[in-house]
Amino acid sequence: MTILILAALAVSIGLGYVTKINIGFFTIIFAYLIGCFGMGLKPAEIIELWPVKIFFIIFAVTLFYNFALANGALEKLAGHLLYKCRKFPQLLPLAVFFASTLIAALGAGFYTVLAFMAPITLLLCKKTNMSMIIGGMAVNYGALAGANFMTSQSGIIFRSLMENVGIDSATGFTYATGIFVVTLIIPIIVLGLYTLWNRNSSAIHIEDIKPEPFDTKQKKSIFLIVLMMVIVLIFPILNLIFSDNALIAFLNSKIDIGFIAIIFALISLLMKLADEKKVMALVPWNTLIMICGVGMLIALGVKLGLITQLSDWLANNVPLWLIAILICLISAVMSVFSSTLGVVTPTLFPIVPAIALTSGLNPMVLFICIVVGAQASAISPFSSGGSLILGSAPDGVDRNVLFNQLLFRAVPIGLVAALIAVLVLKFVM
């Protein structure tokens, strides 16, 4: 049964890649077939494996953030941030990175940021003579790092997955903060080194065209996003600082980002900041189905003791110094062909507590290794991030050349940076 579940996951990924159908549908069917006919479970027991909490949180948060997407607030914010860099053209890669990071951190999420920032960035590359690979890496790195922020889409998913494996919310918040910080630092170093290397080059030119100012609805959306982030972040931070304060601990235990997001979504509807139908249509239903569908199959594996078996094998057969590096590499290989959020983290996060317990390694380091490894190869043209960048290439750009550059230049650069970061983490933590 254990081998069958692993095979089902691999087959689901393969079928999803070949057919271009959401792999969540395949994993749901496999969970039903294996669970009911192989393990003797009732259909109702299989349905209960659907991760309701993760589904609710992602739905609620993206619903609220979609108001700023629907009324153009985040897209206009990107234009203003890039305009600020017009007098320092050599800093354009870092400007693209920070613009993408900020927009993703404000709640747009990885896929949404790439969807509207990648075309802008690649067009900028063509107009300003910036390297397509560096531009692609900058927007991809930024979308990933920003989405990893504790209150943004990926950060919320990471925290929910951690809580599902028994990690309390305060510790999960700390671990998620570590993931965000590391995935923010790595791109700054990589892009900073590129900027220093090309500091004397005058190839990049930026047009001096000022974006239009924000309208009233856009200003209100940005204000509400910032206000919600303050409310959601302030209590976990205060709880870490004043851990003995009963009132802060009580308030922190009652603050839930999903319910807070629903409140702010309702406020946005009452203020008529965007069309309700358009906001609902922007909810990432594909991502929700993929994450929850894979979650059902993984939950079935947990019932069989799959997680314990995998963690025991790693702890007993792999040298201690190699475990973190191996996990990083496994994540990177998986991410070449699949989604970090939909496949890699739901599959590997559950094994972390057991590995940490048997090996003595810091769980935060292992969680960071998984995310850093997965995001190192997320720019692969076979993965969702790389395919979005490839599809955003403007007319006149040879997509075959860009395909090879993404796969054989951007991925190796990202992987080397990830492995160096893992080695540094091992000595620091």
Side-chain angles (χ1 to χ4, degrees), residues 76-97:
K76 192 169 288 185
L77 180 62
H80 280 276
L81 291 172
L82 292 175
Y83 177 73
K84 298 293 183 182
C85 193
R86 67 193 184 281
K87 295 182 180 178
F88 309 97
Q90 300 312 317
L91 297 179
L92 184 57
L94 284 168
V96 169
F97 167 73

Side-chain angles (χ1 to χ4, degrees), residues 233-395:
L233 288 174
I234 189 66
F235 292 104
I237 293 172
L238 287 175
N239 191 49
L240 290 173
I241 298 172
F242 305 104
S243 56
D244 296 329
N245 189 298
L247 177 60
I248 292 175
F250 172 77
L251 292 173
N252 183 52
S253 68
K254 300 300 180 183
I255 294 294
D256 181 89
I257 190 168
F259 287 111
I260 298 295
I262 291 292
I263 292 171
F264 274 80
L266 179 58
I267 293 171
S268 300
L269 284 170
L270 293 172
M271 295 174 72
K272 301 187 183 303
L273 298 185
D275 179 70
E276 182 179 351
K277 291 182 179 179
K278 188 175 181 180
V279 170
M280 287 294 294
L282 287 171
V283 172
W285 299 110
N286 283 336
T287 303
L288 279 167
I289 292 169
M290 183 163 53
I291 291 171
C292 295
V294 173
M296 289 180 74
L297 191 60
I298 297 300
L300 205 61
V302 171
K303 280 182 173 288
L304 285 171
L306 171 62
I307 304 307
T308 304
Q309 293 174 39
L310 285 175
S311 58
D312 286 345
W313 182 87
L314 279 171
N316 296 323
N317 295 278
V318 178
L320 185 62
W321 64 270
L322 192 58
I323 290 178
I325 296 172
L326 183 61
I327 287 177
C328 179
L329 288 172
I330 291 172
S331 302
V333 172
M334 290 177 67
S335 185
V336 168
F337 301 99
S338 59
S339 164
T340 299
L341 296 179
V343 177
V344 182
T345 49
T347 303
L348 297 181
F349 267 29
I351 70 174
V352 168
I355 292 177
L357 185 63
T358 54
S359 66
L361 293 172
N362 188 334
M364 182 190 287
V365 172
L366 297 176
F367 282 125
I368 291 173
C369 287
I370 292 170
V371 177
V372 166
Q375 296 188 347
S377 57
I379 200 171
S380 158
F382 297 115
S383 190
S384 49
S387 61
L388 277 170
I389 293 173
L390 190 65
S392 302
D395 293 335

Side-chain angles (χ1 to χ4, degrees), residues 39-238:
M39 297 172 59
L41 299 175
K42 297 177 181 178
E45 293 178 289
I46 306 298
I47 295 172
E48 288 175 0
L49 298 178
W50 182 269
V52 176
K53 183 176 180 180
I54 293 177
F55 181 92
F56 173 73
I57 291 175
I58 298 173
F59 166 75
V61 172
T62 54
L63 180 69
F64 166 60
Y65 286 140
N66 285 345
F67 284 90
L69 284 172
N71 63 27
L74 295 182
E75 188 172 357
K76 192 169 288 185
L77 180 62
H80 280 276
L81 291 172
L82 292 175
Y83 177 73
K84 298 293 183 182
C85 193
R86 67 193 184 281
K87 295 182 180 178
F88 309 97
Q90 300 312 317
L91 297 179
L92 184 57
L94 284 168
V96 169
F97 167 73
F98 283 116
S100 303
T101 300
L102 180 59
I103 295 167
L106 287 173
F110 171 65
Y111 300 106
T112 305
V113 171
L114 272 189
F116 73 82
M117 279 295 291
I120 295 171
T121 301
L122 295 186
L123 193 60
L124 277 173
C125 289
K126 188 176 180 181
K127 289 183 177 181
T128 64
N129 294 320
M130 183 171 68
S131 164
M132 287 277 179
I133 287 300
I134 292 301
M137 289 183 68
V139 69
N140 187 67
Y141 265 144
L144 289 168
N148 291 346
F149 190 63
M150 295 77 74
T151 60
S152 193
Q153 187 183 98
S154 301
I156 292 165
I157 292 171
F158 297 156
R159 289 165 59 191
S160 298
L161 290 172
M162 290 174 194
E163 289 179 22
N164 276 1
V165 296
I167 295 172
D168 64 84
S169 58
T171 305
F173 181 85
T174 303
Y175 289 171
T177 303
I179 291 172
F180 169 68
V181 170
V182 173
T183 53
L184 180 69
I185 292 174
I186 292 174
I188 292 174
I189 294 173
V190 172
L191 297 173
L193 289 173
Y194 171 83
T195 302
L196 287 174
W197 183 266
N198 294 274
R199 64 186 182 279
N200 296 322
S201 172
S202 57
I204 300 178
H205 303 281
I206 304 175
E207 294 181 6
D208 191 359
I209 302 176
K210 188 174 183 179
E212 294 182 5
F214 293 98
D215 61 31
T216 303
K217 290 184 178 180
Q218 291 167 345
K219 289 178 181 178
K220 289 178 179 177
S221 287
I222 297 295
F223 172 77
L224 287 177
I225 288 175
V226 174
L227 180 60
M228 193 194 84
M229 288 174 63
V230 170
I231 292 172
V232 171
L233 288 174
I234 189 66
F235 292 104
I237 293 172
L238 287 175

